[in-house]
Amino acid sequence: MVGREVRLPALPRRIILLEAHDLLTMSLLHADPASLVVGWAAVDRIDSEWLQERLTNGQGISTVGKQSPETVSLEGLIALAPDLVVTTTFMTPQGDADPLVERLKQLSIPVVLSDASSNTIAGAQTADPVTELRRSLNMWGVLLGASAKANAFIAFYERELAGITGRLEGTKPVTTYLEVQSTVDDCCWAAGRRIWGDLLALAGGQPLPGVTAPWFEKLSLEYLLSTPHDVYIASGGGWASGSRPAIGPGIDPALGRQGLQRLVDGRPAFNHLASVRAKRVYGIWTGLITNLPLNILFVAQAAKWLHPEQCVDLDPAAILGHINREFAAFPIQGPLWASI
């Protein structure tokens, strides 16, 4: 993912994931990925207790850290005798120079990165999401001895994406307030122009003009009220955080709709937004962004919201159904989005 070459003596059988949601990617290529995982960190970022239970498949996985780099225990990693540690640019922010990576290499424990999305590591240039997806699936295909299935998923993803972008050819981008952290008591965190913004662009959207940061940017409520936009897309998930909308696998869809309504009602000024007045208020499970293989579902659903006439025949639920039938070891229960 970041241009490093890593040699392994055999397919890994004792993997530690410093980003637990990588288990979902593994589950699209392997029938029982938890059988290969002895430890993980950042479990909450799976953002669905229901999905976490499905992916672990009744097997115990040791927790080696929480959601930030300083919580990872080197001793805890070593004690599990891993034959591979899979990290990320967030959990080991200094890349090859990160003290944790250096120590693991000194101990002859191979380390690979499962993403290249960093603005802190020299040389780790963030690619577009489609290129990231190809790199990620190719890497996991090799690690799991499942390159044929990885190639099949890449072909499926590219075919679905081409169908979406073909429908949107010649359309004008729809200005959208895409929110990375949606809680009543903390406004207004807009998605930046990279990753979330890249996917929004594929769906025929564009962020508000005042958003210039690559990752996320806090906008003033006054700016949001004074800047015209057509659509508001909030984010939600399975873990509780204030009045965050409950949207995700295994969650009653009614709770997602109720959560969106609370966001609007709990921020009285939001009733003055053009997007709210036009009833173009939507919500997504954060996993559609954080899990590369599921990005296609965000692009499809967002395109349908932003360009309903061009995408009248586009069926995101059918795309999820295909993923569940052809790839997922444990089918992902939808819907993974909501609207009011």
Side-chain angles (χ1 to χ4, degrees):
M1 296 295 288
V2 292
R4 297 163 64 247
E5 184 178 88
V6 178
R7 294 184 179 273
L8 303 176
L11 294 179
R13 289 291 178 264
R14 296 184 61 81
I15 301 172
I16 292 178
L17 303 175
L18 295 190
E19 190 64 60
H21 67 63
D22 278 337
L23 191 61
L24 187 148
T25 298
M26 294 173 66
S27 75
L28 300 177
L29 304 178
H30 191 281
D32 187 14
S35 66
L36 305 177
V37 177
V38 295
W40 60 359
V43 178
D44 283 350
R45 279 203 285 269
I46 291 179
D47 212 2
S48 166
E49 185 177 354
W50 181 92
L51 184 58
Q52 179 183 327
E53 292 177 356
R54 297 297 184 284
L55 293 175
T56 52
N57 198 25
Q59 298 170 84
I61 301 177
S62 298
T63 299
V64 297
K66 298 182 180 179
Q67 295 197 57
S68 55
E70 70 276 4
T71 65
V72 177
S73 163
L74 175 62
E75 292 76 12
L77 300 185
I78 296 170
L80 293 172
D83 53 17
L84 178 68
V85 172
V86 183
T87 183
T88 66
T89 51
F90 178 79
M91 293 301 280
T92 48
Q94 298 179 56
D96 271 353
D98 195 276
L100 180 63
V101 175
E102 289 186 333
R103 188 72 181 108
L104 289 170
K105 289 193 295 185
Q106 290 168 3
L107 295 167
S108 299
I109 298 174
V111 180
V112 300
L113 281 87
S114 63
D115 73 38
S117 302
S118 175
N119 60 353
T120 59
I121 299 177
Q125 298 297 320
T126 303
D128 65 275
V130 182
T131 300
E132 289 282 276
L133 181 279
R134 292 193 195 103
R135 290 176 177 171
S136 174
L137 266 290
N138 282 327
M139 184 191 77
W140 281 111
V142 171
L143 290 174
L144 300 176
S147 290
K149 195 170 186 182
N151 289 334
F153 191 96
I154 293 168
F156 157 73
Y157 187 108
E158 292 179 340
R159 183 171 62 251
E160 292 297 334
L161 184 61
I164 297 168
T165 55
R167 287 176 172 89
L168 301 181
E169 189 173 354
T171 60
K172 182 180 178 181
V174 175
T175 302
T176 304
Y177 173 45
L178 178 57
E179 195 170 54
V180 298
Q181 178 174 300
S182 302
T183 58
V184 169
D185 57 356
D186 193 9
C187 187
C188 306
W189 290 97
R193 293 188 171 267
R194 301 307 309 268
I195 305 180
W196 291 56
D198 291 330
L199 294 170
L200 180 65
L202 289 173
Q206 64 182 6
L208 277 69
V211 175
T212 58
W215 309 108
F216 52 83
E217 186 164 348
K218 189 172 179 64
L219 304 176
S220 69
L221 180 59
E222 291 75 15
Y223 174 80
L224 195 60
L225 289 167
S226 63
T227 306
H229 62 276
D230 302 290
V231 173
Y232 168 34
I233 302 178
S235 62
W239 53 268
S241 175
S243 52
R244 186 170 180 253
I247 303 171
I251 298 175
D252 183 350
L255 296 178
R257 294 191 293 271
Q258 292 167 13
L260 287 177
Q261 193 65 56
R262 280 196 304 273
L263 277 180
V264 173
D265 295 342
R267 300 159 163 174
F270 267 48
N271 285 305
H272 298 286
L273 298 177
S275 55
V276 174
R277 292 200 305 269
K279 301 186 185 302
R280 301 185 75 179
V281 178
Y282 310 104
I284 60 157
W285 174 47
T286 56
L288 300 187
I289 303 289
T290 57
N291 296 285
L292 285 170
L294 302 187
N295 287 172
I296 188 65
L297 293 170
F298 170 79
V299 175
Q301 187 58 53
K304 198 169 182 69
W305 287 332
L306 302 183
H307 299 277
E309 294 183 2
Q310 289 80 5
C311 298
V312 65
D313 62 337
L314 181 59
D315 188 354
I319 297 175
L320 176 59
H322 184 90
I323 292 173
N324 283 337
R325 286 191 310 274
E326 301 299 325
F327 300 101
F330 311 101
I332 304 167
Q333 182 176 319
L336 305 178
W337 44 80
S339 64
I340 57 171

